[in-house]
Amino acid sequence: MMITELPEMQLPEWIGAIAKGQNDLKFPLENILTDSLYYPASGLNGTPVKFLAGNIFSFVYADYGIKKQVFLPT
């Protein structure tokens, strides 16, 4: 459910390349941070992804209160 009042972005080439398995296995930090949505103190709230996917393709979540084991359960 994309927000139609915001401009729709085209899928960045670097994401398309990763989706096709054409990445060079180098972590694309500059690409990820360019035009991304930074969400500090986010917890595990997925609302921005739900409503902004299509307007934004890169989401950077940061929250010191969420432990790795909670985010990536084994």
Side-chain angles (χ1 to χ4, degrees), residues 13-52:
E13 288 183 26
W14 67 272
I15 293 178
I18 290 173
K20 294 176 185 174
Q22 299 170 345
N23 63 324
D24 61 2
L25 300 179
K26 180 181 171 200
F27 188 75
L29 181 60
E30 276 190 46
N31 291 335
I32 289 170
L33 296 177
T34 301
D35 297 325
S36 68
L37 179 127
Y38 174 64
Y39 188 3
S42 59
L44 297 175
N45 182 351
T47 303
V49 176
K50 178 180 178 181
F51 290 108
L52 296 172

Side-chain angles (χ1 to χ4, degrees), residues 50-70:
K50 178 180 178 181
F51 290 108
L52 296 172
N55 302 111
I56 297 172
F57 287 96
S58 178
F59 297 84
V60 178
Y61 277 44
D63 194 323
Y64 285 110
I66 301 297
K67 295 181 180 184
K68 182 178 178 180
Q69 296 80 4
V70 174

